Amino acid sequence: MKIIDAHAHLWLNVDTVVNGQPIHPLEPNRSRSLFFGEERQMLPPWMTDGQNTAERFLSNMDYAQVSAAVITQEFIDGLQNTYLMQVQQRYPDRFFCFGMPEELQRLENTLSAEAEVLIKQGFKGIKVPAARLPQQFLTDEMMQMMHLMEEQGILLGIELMDGDAQVGQMEEIIQECPRLKVAIGHFGMVTRPGWMSQIRLARHEHVYIESGGITWLFNDEFYPYPSAIRAIREAADEVGWDKLMWGSDYPRTITAITYRMSYDFVTKSQELTDDQKRLFLSDNARQLFGFGDLVDLPYIKNMSE
């Protein structure tokens, strides 16, 4: 099985402001960040320069035998379009990268024009972190951007507020743009009330759910996350195994666990069949994101073995 990570992050530097609150590295040579006024371990402690690069991730991917990854964006990362296009061009067989319009936080009337520029640059997906937007995020301009994406065959990556707060707007987008391919992140915020309302969106033909951050959401329970396995099975009962994908939310999640641990709680589970694991960890993401031939990564023994 050649594994695909459907939700990860990359950046050269994080120095941004979200809703008036700064997010930036703490100096000198520290992997921690100032995050909305608090000191947070944003990166594993050995990333002392604050750079979460493709090459470092590839080293983790090769070690953990993950063949490819989908690189998403978030406001708290800062805008990474320039770097991610370089990554996409340098490693086209290993990464699918989302672009993100610069004025998205302000829901400006330039969204469609910005999205068109990103598409012309070569991005095959546009990210909308709706959970960090006003609850009513679906403006006329936003819908216009969705129509553009549908026409151009561009994939929408989106995370929604907890529960059903924004599900109605997603239903409206799906109705207006039935051919738009959608990947909904964070497994519907699975540990929050009403999470299944987001999962049920995947009953629509072109809507998928990815589990980026599921180990963070079940962090209190911790590895091997038996409740996460039960939630994955519950979601599959609602929408089918062909609509669910694994995502790690690298690198923030690997401050608590290793990268391999972010998926091997699935491979080691006795509650899932081999076919279910293959769909969740590989086949569904390969189909949705259009990965071709995937690199074969043999297992390399540790010095401690």
Side-chain angles (χ1 to χ4, degrees):
M1 176 166 49
K2 295 180 179 179
I3 296 172
I4 298 173
D5 185 344
H7 185 122
H9 298 261
L10 294 175
W11 59 75
L12 281 182
N13 181 53
V14 171
D15 192 355
T16 189
V17 175
V18 178
N19 296 328
Q21 295 290 318
I23 301 172
H24 59 76
L26 294 172
E27 299 293 344
N29 299 325
R30 301 184 69 184
S31 56
R32 296 175 184 174
S33 295
L34 181 68
F35 183 80
F36 296 158
E38 295 184 308
E39 185 172 336
R40 291 289 185 90
Q41 191 72 43
M42 184 79 76
L43 290 169
W46 42 266
M47 286 190 186
T48 55
D49 59 4
Q51 293 193 343
N52 171 36
T53 65
E55 288 72 26
R56 283 176 173 167
F57 190 23
L58 283 169
S59 181
N60 266 286
M61 290 167 64
D62 290 352
Y63 173 68
Q65 297 175 282
V66 174
S67 294
V70 177
I71 307 303
T72 189
Q73 294 202 55
E74 230 272 33
F75 295 144
I76 64 173
D77 297 347
L79 198 66
Q80 301 294 330
N81 290 331
T82 300
Y83 179 56
L84 293 189
M85 182 46 60
Q86 293 172 3
V87 169
Q88 184 75 83
Q89 293 170 347
R90 191 175 303 155
Y91 307 107
D93 297 330
R94 302 298 300 273
F95 294 116
F96 176 107
C97 296
F98 279 98
M100 188 168 69
E102 184 174 1
E103 296 300 324
L104 188 59
Q105 282 194 75
R106 290 170 285 278
L107 295 176
E108 297 288 347
N109 58 9
T110 58
L111 280 180
S112 293
E114 287 188 65
E116 192 164 9
V117 170
L118 292 172
I119 293 167
K120 288 179 178 177
Q121 288 175 354
F123 285 106
K124 297 178 182 179
I126 299 293
K127 177 62 185 292
V128 177
R132 296 194 187 276
L133 293 174
Q135 181 171 334
Q136 181 61 41
F137 73 93
L138 186 55
T139 62
D140 290 343
E141 181 66 20
M142 180 73 76
M143 185 64 86
Q144 186 176 338
M145 184 178 78
M146 299 297 171
H147 280 292
L148 171 68
M149 293 167 61
E150 182 190 33
E151 292 165 6
Q152 298 288 329
I154 302 302
L155 200 148
L156 169 66
I158 191 164
E159 285 115 31
L160 304 175
M161 289 179 177
D162 295 359
D164 64 357
Q166 295 174 322
V167 166
Q169 293 169 83
M170 276 306 308
E171 290 280 7
E172 187 175 345
I173 290 170
I174 295 164
Q175 182 178 3
E176 285 281 320
C177 307
R179 293 177 291 108
L180 178 67
K181 294 182 178 180
V182 182
I184 296 174
H186 292 167
F187 218 69
M189 293 302 290
V190 56
T191 55
R192 312 294 198 256
W195 67 281
M196 190 56 72
S197 63
Q198 296 187 34
I199 301 298
R200 292 190 184 105
L201 289 167
R203 291 174 174 174
H204 295 282
E205 182 179 2
H206 298 298
V207 180
Y208 292 72
I209 306 292
E210 46 93 340
S211 72
I214 198 167
T215 60
W216 150 61
L217 289 163
F218 285 99
N219 184 66
D220 289 346
E221 179 181 83
F222 205 63
Y223 188 89
Y225 309 107
S227 295
I229 293 293
R230 287 193 290 271
I232 292 167
R233 293 183 61 188
E234 185 178 351
D237 287 343
E238 286 285 330
V239 300
W241 280 100
D242 60 341
K243 287 301 192 78
L244 308 178
M245 305 177 292
W246 167 67
S248 69
D249 212 0
Y250 174 98
R252 297 182 183 98
T253 49
I254 66 165
T255 58
I257 57 175
T258 68
Y259 185 47
R260 182 182 290 274
M261 289 167 70
S262 69
Y263 77 81
D264 77 354
F265 75 96
V266 174
T267 61
K268 292 177 179 177
S269 173
Q270 300 300 308
E271 298 185 42
L272 308 179
T273 69
D274 288 345
D275 286 343
Q276 290 166 350
K277 293 173 185 178
R278 187 177 302 278
L279 288 168
F280 186 65
L281 294 169
S282 180
D283 291 357
N284 295 338
R286 187 171 188 171
Q287 177 180 333
L288 180 63
F289 295 102
F291 285 105
D293 293 335
L294 296 172
V295 62
D296 189 21
L297 298 167
Y299 179 74
I300 305 299
K301 289 183 68 175
N302 290 322
M303 285 293 291
S304 59
E305 290 183 81

